[in-house]
Amino acid sequence: MEELWKLAGTPLLDSVARTAARYGEASRQPTGKRISAWKTGENVPSSFKELKPVLRALISMARARKGHPGGAQHLYSFEAWEALWSEAKESPVGHVKNIINTGILGLPIVSADPIELEVHPSIEIISAETNDNAPVLPLYVKRAHDHGLESIIDKSADHSSICVLVGGSSTGKTRACWEAVKSLGSHWRIWHPLTPSRHEALLNALRRKQISPYTVLWLNEIQFYLNPSPSNLGEEIAAELRELIKDPARGPVIILGTCWPEHWQTLTLRPDPTKPDLHSQARALLTGQHVLVPDEFLGEEIERLSREASRDRRLKEATAKGNRRVTQFLAGALELVNRYETLPIIARSLIHVMMDVRRLGYKGTISEEFLRSAVQGYMHEDVWAGVKRDWFKKAVKQSRKPCLGVSGPLRLRRVGAVGKPTYDLADYLDEIGRIVRREEFPPASFWTSSVKHLRDANGLLDLAYEAQIRGRLNYAALMYLQAANLGELEAILYVAEHRRAAGAIDEARKLFSHAADKGIEDAWLYLAQIEKDHGDEKAAARILGQVGDKALAARLAIYLTEPGQNKEHALRLLEQAFNLSPKKSLTDLDLSHDEGGLRDLLRQAWHSVEAMDEKFGALRVAAENLRNAEEERLEIEDDLIEEIKDDEESFAWISSHLLNQADNGDADALLLLAKAWRAVGDSGKAKQYMMIAINQGYADRVTGSNALAILADLEGSEEHPDLARQILCYGLEVDGSPASQWSVSIEE
């Protein structure tokens, strides 16, 4: 091993690399000729004995990466062996020994392939001037965000750091990261965690502390690492990454990531105080560590682009056709949109299914079975009646056809070496789908196929929630119950509580009882609440008697005790629960050895409740202030509508202004538009805007106007007095009409 450093910096570098390359070249020959060549000394320099230990060390370094230097395709490359040599020379002795003895993650940056790192390949420009030897990536033109990224890279020798580039699809985020890391020394490596899955690969390496100093941790699409399914693994990864950055003994390392704006918000925005904080570790890791990447070239960047365009035909074509959205054009994004819009109807419908399942939050794998079943409702009956037997194969082939050298709208994935194929959507079409399909609600075939074929429980919870906030309560219940069947048992509680609110008390009791039997403690609270609402204290006490866990029973007893009542009332509930006559004492309870023990337990639980009340006192005040502010806002809206409803000019101006706000995603503007048109007597337009708001996901807002309630009010009339309650209890059909009565059951 020490021979490596004795030779470092000597003229033998060329001999080392060329000997390695020649050895590889000889290995291509038939066995007899190869042995003969080495026996006779052909291609072997006189200094070979001196170089042998060096070659052995370099080969050990290559094997430690589980592959040849630069990948198998570079086995015979002088440059690849030279890169290994350069890394060995520039790295501390102990560092290279660690590489050889224990293995190391990643490849030297100089040997990495940007395409394998998910840098978008450029479109191909076919013309008489096409240069077959043109590089895979077009000439790079620096932009403002590159300077911010470079400043972080420049400081990497001193300490570990993290930077995430945030921008839309195909805006050049990954390419910018690649250009930045190329400036690092040859002793730096780059590791892109991928298998068995992205988050599993990263979490395993972090747990085992396998990420060595001088490593670029390449986390393209960082949400796959920090917001996987189940989400608790993402929090563990974020916490481990924070520890990695803080530990100087493990650095320096550079964590580079990319992210769409909507995923960035999910990971970094504080949730509503009434909801669980699912990403506190991710928020602590990421906040303040991002660089924004604009969708377009701006200002001086345009001039710089124009100057460089003469040196690269792809840039020239992009400036001519792509306007300022140059990176999207280069990545084939604009051609992707054109391809999607001109696909035959069945293939385009497949893309719509993919757009819907992704925009509604499902992150799991998409199977052929799901697509085959779901797509049927996206086409008219006449189209479906005329399809041929090989329709799916043909539609997939049309959707996968490359666009100017980059992948087509539909991407084929495969799970495992011999697994069934799965499908995904081109990134840019995923982003476009969130816009063009924003007001569309998927057909019934989408939801029935989801229940039958989708198997990611967390993804089904996301689909359930999206159906819920769009007023399709039946489909929400189906998704929640399927998620429960797949292990997310608490999903039963939503369905059961909704059935209780809809008046289906027997259904609710069965669902809550099933959840309680499965160990969901909150289900006992809901069961007790049902009896409490009906004023049946004895029935509530019987529920306490079913619990078995005296600590839980004590909490339930306190829960059923009305405000202002003392602990003795809770004790009486416990006595009733365990069938004790008034003359018997608590010492007769099988589950408690003495009255004092149970009283102590009750006292502790009561103190816990009091402490919780005190802790959340400020929160209740804040919530009340929020409600008051919301009520005041709604009053102002009503006053405004009252003032303008008889003034045509003012009404037209306000309507136009609200429409512009609605087009920019302002749901309140849609709700106000609906109220305004209702005020002037046009219920048709009012319903139209309410349905737009509902289909965008505003049927069940926490604060302000509830879109489903407003629609119910609009639909209710003297002729149909029960229609409003029907909508509130059962929601809407796919087409937005009031849903018929429905019921649910749970698989035992």
Side-chain angles (χ1 to χ4, degrees):
M1 188 63 221
E2 298 300 333
E3 283 91 340
L4 201 69
W5 283 272
K6 291 178 183 177
L7 294 173
T10 70
L12 289 176
L13 167 59
D14 184 75
S15 296
V16 171
R18 292 198 182 279
T19 298
R22 287 171 183 165
Y23 182 79
E25 183 64 36
S27 68
R28 297 187 183 192
Q29 305 297 328
T31 304
K33 187 175 180 180
R34 181 171 70 246
I35 294 173
S36 175
W38 283 98
K39 278 184 178 179
T40 60
E42 183 183 345
N43 292 327
V44 181
S46 59
S47 57
F48 179 69
K49 289 184 179 179
E50 190 176 10
L51 296 173
K52 205 169 182 179
V54 180
L55 286 172
R56 188 181 298 115
L58 295 180
I59 292 169
S60 296
M61 289 176 65
R63 285 176 176 167
R65 298 189 181 84
K66 296 181 175 58
H68 297 290
Q73 71 272 25
H74 295 146
L75 175 60
Y76 314 115
S77 163
F78 166 70
E79 290 78 11
W81 287 99
E82 183 181 36
L84 270 178
W85 171 258
S86 299
E87 179 184 4
K89 283 199 308 175
E90 296 181 18
S91 299
V93 175
H95 180 47
V96 177
K97 283 184 176 178
N98 181 60
I99 292 175
I100 295 171
N101 294 334
T102 64
I104 193 167
L105 297 171
L107 288 170
I109 289 175
V110 292
S111 300
D113 182 350
I115 304 303
E116 291 182 2
L117 293 173
E118 300 177 324
V119 176
H120 285 303
S122 174
I123 60 171
E124 298 172 359
I125 305 298
I126 308 300
S127 73
E129 302 175 27
T130 299
N131 179 6
D132 292 336
N133 295 320
V136 176
L137 300 178
L139 192 69
Y140 191 69
V141 179
K142 285 189 176 182
R143 300 164 65 186
H145 59 267
D146 290 296
H147 301 300
L149 182 54
E150 285 174 354
S151 66
I152 294 171
I153 298 295
D154 290 342
K155 298 173 183 175
S156 60
D158 301 326
H159 56 77
S160 297
S161 58
I162 177 172
C163 182
V164 180
L165 269 62
V166 179
S169 174
S170 303
T171 52
K173 304 183 297 297
T174 316
R175 177 70 188 277
C177 290
W178 170 245
E179 294 297 325
V181 300
K182 283 162 59 177
S183 65
L184 291 167
S186 57
H187 58 289
W188 278 84
R189 297 169 318 286
I190 191 165
W191 182 50
H192 185 199
L194 285 177
T195 57
S197 67
R198 294 179 190 243
H199 71 275
E200 287 177 294
L202 178 56
L203 185 55
N204 289 338
L206 289 167
R207 285 171 173 171
R208 298 168 185 169
K209 293 184 168 49
Q210 289 179 310
I211 299 170
S212 299
Y214 302 102
T215 297
V216 175
L217 194 50
W218 188 268
L219 304 184
N220 195 42
E221 304 289 357
I222 201 169
Q223 71 275 5
F224 291 138
Y225 300 95
L226 300 183
N227 190 23
S229 176
S231 58
N232 63 295
L233 295 182
E235 281 293 86
E236 184 179 348
I237 288 173
E240 290 280 3
L241 289 174
R242 292 178 68 194
E243 290 298 319
L244 174 63
I245 292 173
K246 288 190 298 183
D247 187 353
R250 299 168 67 187
V253 295
I254 302 173
I255 302 170
L256 280 185
T258 66
C259 195
W260 289 3
E262 53 264 41
H263 297 312
W264 181 259
Q265 288 191 346
T266 298
L267 293 170
T268 59
L269 289 184
R270 291 187 179 278
D272 185 289
T274 61
K275 295 181 179 179
D277 190 350
L278 301 179
H279 304 292
S280 60
Q281 290 287 350
R283 185 167 59 253
L285 172 72
L286 299 176
T287 300
Q289 307 299 329
H290 70 288
V291 173
L292 293 176
V293 180
D295 290 343
E296 301 179 344
F297 276 63
L298 305 170
E300 295 179 357
E301 298 168 356
I302 299 292
E303 299 176 11
R304 195 177 306 121
L305 176 68
S306 299
R307 290 194 300 269
E308 299 291 352
S310 61
R311 299 170 53 198
D312 191 305
R313 180 168 180 78
R314 291 165 292 189
L315 288 183
K316 184 177 181 180
E317 194 77 9
T319 55
K321 295 184 177 180
N323 200 0
R324 295 186 174 189
R325 298 173 70 85
V326 175
T327 56
Q328 291 90 332
F329 177 83
L330 290 173
L334 301 185
E335 180 62 23
L336 270 174
V337 175
N338 180 61
R339 174 69 56 78
Y340 147 67
E341 291 176 343
T342 56
L343 279 171
I345 185 168
I346 299 179
R348 190 165 69 253
S349 296
L350 283 181
I351 301 303
H352 287 159
V353 176
M354 292 298 305
M355 286 178 168
D356 286 346
V357 76
R358 290 310 189 204
R359 74 184 173 90
L360 296 178
Y362 189 81
K363 305 183 188 75
T365 56
I366 303 300
S367 66
E368 176 179 323
E369 291 79 8
F370 168 76
L371 285 177
R372 277 181 175 273
S373 176
V375 75
Q376 298 180 30
Y378 286 74
M379 296 177 287
H380 192 274
E381 291 178 354
D382 294 342
V383 175
W384 184 244
V387 300
K388 296 181 179 179
R389 182 175 297 178
D390 64 344
W391 66 270
F392 184 81
K393 183 178 180 180
K394 184 177 180 180
V396 167
K397 184 177 180 180
Q398 292 166 338
S399 303
R400 290 187 59 209
K401 188 176 180 181
C403 299
L404 297 179
V406 297
S407 299
L410 193 66
R411 309 269 169 97
L412 183 65
R413 302 278 189 254
R414 194 175 297 277
V415 180
V418 294
K420 290 184 177 180
T422 61
Y423 299 87
D424 214 336
L425 187 65
D427 285 351
Y428 194 64
L429 288 185
D430 187 349
E431 187 175 21
I432 291 296
R434 297 165 193 267
I435 300 171
V436 301
R437 303 279 303 166
R438 181 175 60 181
E439 297 175 10
E440 302 292 332
F441 189 80
S445 62
F446 175 92
W447 302 99
T448 55
S449 184
S450 297
V451 170
K452 189 173 182 180
H453 298 296
L454 297 182
R455 288 295 174 266
D456 183 271
N458 280 276
L460 287 168
L461 289 178
D462 288 333
L463 290 179
Y465 176 72
E466 294 297 333
Q468 173 189 334
I469 63 176
R470 286 167 174 78
R472 274 60 173 205
L473 305 181
N474 189 8
Y475 295 118
L478 288 174
M479 297 295 107
Y480 279 122
L481 291 180
Q482 181 61 4
N485 291 337
L486 294 173
E488 291 290 339
L489 293 174
E490 291 190 1
I492 301 171
L493 298 182
Y494 162 77
V495 184
E497 174 58 13
H498 180 269
R499 302 310 293 146
R500 185 193 67 80
I505 303 301
D506 289 339
E507 277 185 53
R509 280 196 181 103
K510 289 179 181 178
L511 290 167
F512 283 131
S513 295
H514 180 82
D517 291 341
K518 294 294 184 180
I520 307 299
E521 289 189 357
D522 285 352
W524 294 108
L525 293 174
Y526 285 105
L527 282 168
Q529 180 70 55
I530 290 176
E531 308 308 337
K532 184 179 180 181
D533 289 345
H534 286 77
D536 192 340
E537 188 173 293
K538 289 184 178 180
R542 283 197 298 274
I543 290 171
L544 291 185
Q546 293 176 286
V547 172
D549 181 342
K550 64 178 182 178
L552 177 58
R555 290 195 295 273
L556 284 169
I558 292 174
Y559 172 76
L560 291 170
T561 301
E562 295 292 340
Q565 293 176 332
N566 58 29
K567 301 178 184 64
E568 295 303 321
H569 180 78
L571 281 169
R572 284 196 297 275
L573 278 176
L574 284 173
E575 290 173 349
Q576 287 179 275
F578 294 104
N579 301 317
L580 295 174
S581 68
K583 294 182 180 180
K584 289 187 177 180
S585 71
L586 287 170
T587 55
D588 296 323
L589 257 169
D590 291 338
L591 294 178
S592 63
H593 299 295
D594 56 74
E595 180 178 351
L598 183 59
R599 288 183 181 275
D600 286 343
L601 183 66
L602 186 62
R603 188 180 302 109
Q604 292 169 14
W606 196 284
H607 287 163
S608 175
V609 171
E610 291 174 341
M612 191 67 71
D613 281 344
E614 184 178 347
K615 181 180 290 187
F616 287 99
L619 179 62
R620 286 195 293 271
V621 172
E624 184 63 30
N625 291 339
L626 184 62
R627 281 192 294 271
N628 292 337
E630 190 64 25
E631 289 175 4
E632 185 178 346
R633 184 182 69 82
L634 294 174
E635 288 178 8
I636 293 172
E637 285 183 0
D638 293 339
D639 292 342
L640 173 64
I641 292 172
E642 192 65 30
E643 288 180 16
I644 66 168
K645 69 177 185 179
D646 297 322
D647 184 337
E648 290 187 12
E649 185 175 348
S650 297
F651 188 87
W653 185 89
I654 289 292
S655 297
S656 176
H657 176 68
L658 291 174
L659 273 175
N660 287 334
Q661 288 183 299
D663 288 341
N664 290 325
D666 187 344
D668 289 325
L670 285 168
L671 300 180
L672 186 52
L673 264 172
K675 290 165 68 175
W677 283 107
R678 179 176 62 176
V680 297
D682 193 333
S683 60
K685 281 208 169 185
K687 291 176 186 177
Q688 174 189 339
Y689 289 120
M690 286 313 309
M691 280 309 305
I692 293 174
I694 288 170
N695 284 344
Q696 289 185 19
Y698 298 99
D700 187 24
R701 304 192 63 200
V702 176
T703 60
S705 302
N706 180 303
L708 196 63
I710 295 175
L711 183 67
D713 186 43
L714 287 169
E715 292 283 10
S717 63
E718 292 182 3
E719 294 81 13
H720 304 283
D722 297 329
L723 202 55
R725 172 153 181 80
Q726 182 179 336
I727 291 173
L728 291 175
C729 289
Y730 300 103
L732 306 174
E733 301 288 359
V734 166
D735 62 2
S737 61
S740 302
Q741 293 186 15
W742 48 267
S743 60
V744 296
S745 60
I746 189 78
E747 292 182 12
E748 296 294 338

